[in-house]
Amino acid sequence: MGNTGRILTIDARITPEEVLALAAPAWTSQPDAPAVAGAIAEEMNRIIRPEALFQWFELTEVQAEEIVATEPVSGTTARLTTGGFSPYFQRASRFLAAIYTLGPKVDTLLHRVMAEGLEMEAHFVNMGSLAALTRTASVLTRLAENRAKKEGVGVSPPLSPGSIEGWELESQHELCALFPIDSIGITQGDDAILSPMNTLSVVIAIGPGFTDTRAGSPCRLCRMGGSCTLTCSNHKATLTHRKAG
């Protein structure tokens, strides 16, 4: 659809220190934790392939349960079911929509260490993924922040279906339909969950109703109320789905 941007050169390399900072104390207190974190960070830096698709939309209407937007190049209309979260978008004039991923090899690594019963390694892969996703997301938030600065308006936190109270995960179908997700190796199931596991969809709104110049953290809007470590709703949903299965 329209003028979809693609980012291939994202530096999402992580450090052992970042992995340990995010990890649970039960693991970081182990004597071999630094060595294991170092090995995991080294392997992940070798295999991660961050990619992103993004596109700007003009916000044209905020309804009770959905928002209506227009892609300015093609003029195509897009509708997103935002549920009870819809009123939040009354502050916005436009938004950046994006899909980003670390690629499939991180999934392979996680499955391997889990199959071998290496619980510390699996935990560190998850924490390393979170750090790498954060670095990848920062490329997108800078795009939104820079445009907001140019237009003299503020910016929202990164907003993802399934993480925000009132905006259900099922709406991720509509968000992903805006992009040729297969072009960067992403697939989506009937349950709206994305694959590879470390893949996220996000909306960052800008407009006169926002006062922040930096996108900041979405935690204050998250339905988890800051009670989680993994801030990726797709990641959490995938883990829950696999445990239930």
Side-chain angles (χ1 to χ4, degrees):
M1 175 188 290
N3 190 28
T4 299
R6 183 175 180 181
I7 307 174
L8 303 178
T9 55
I10 301 172
D11 184 0
R13 288 174 293 180
I14 60 173
T15 67
E17 291 74 20
E18 287 175 308
V19 173
L20 292 171
L22 290 167
W27 294 118
T28 58
S29 62
Q30 300 296 318
D32 56 342
V36 174
I40 290 296
E42 182 178 1
E43 186 162 4
M44 289 189 69
N45 287 336
R46 182 175 58 82
I47 64 175
I48 56 176
R49 294 293 183 271
E51 294 187 68
L53 299 174
F54 68 93
Q55 195 159 271
W56 281 100
F57 290 86
E58 306 293 326
L59 189 60
T60 56
E61 188 177 358
V62 178
Q63 299 180 355
E65 297 286 328
E66 69 176 11
I67 59 174
V68 183
T70 302
E71 199 286 309
V73 175
S74 66
T76 304
T77 297
R79 294 177 178 270
L80 297 179
T81 304
T82 44
F85 192 66
S86 286
Y88 184 85
F89 287 97
Q90 291 175 351
R91 313 178 192 186
S93 54
R94 58 179 54 88
F95 61 84
L96 178 73
I99 310 284
Y100 58 101
T101 183
L102 298 183
K105 293 186 178 181
V106 178
D107 286 15
T108 302
L109 172 61
L110 179 61
H111 295 160
R112 176 172 62 80
V113 296
M114 291 179 66
E116 294 173 3
L118 302 174
E119 295 184 9
M120 179 188 293
E121 284 82 350
H123 181 66
F124 286 173
V125 170
N126 279 327
M127 296 305 101
S129 298
L130 180 57
L133 283 168
T134 301
R135 287 184 181 274
T136 304
S138 68
V139 175
L140 299 165
T141 56
R142 282 197 297 271
L143 287 176
E145 290 165 354
N146 290 341
R147 180 154 184 176
K149 181 178 180 180
K150 182 179 179 180
E151 297 183 7
V153 297
V155 62
S156 79
L159 308 168
S160 297
S163 290
I164 305 302
E165 188 66 43
W167 193 4
E168 301 303 325
L169 181 63
E170 288 75 13
S171 181
Q172 193 161 238
H173 283 299
E174 300 164 341
L175 193 51
C176 290
L178 304 176
F179 299 97
I181 60 174
D182 58 335
S183 69
I184 57 172
I186 297 172
T187 60
Q188 186 175 35
D190 293 339
D191 53 8
I193 293 175
L194 301 174
S195 182
M197 185 171 69
N198 290 287
T199 301
L200 272 173
S201 66
V202 68
V203 165
I204 307 171
I206 68 172
F210 300 107
T211 57
D212 293 332
T213 58
R214 296 293 183 92
S217 169
C219 290
R220 66 181 182 272
L221 300 171
C222 179
R223 66 177 65 215
M224 297 293 288
S227 63
C228 65
T229 300
L230 297 176
T231 59
C232 164
S233 65
N234 186 66
H235 194 127
K236 289 184 290 188
T238 304
L239 291 178
T240 302
H241 177 77
R242 287 177 178 168
K243 287 178 181 178

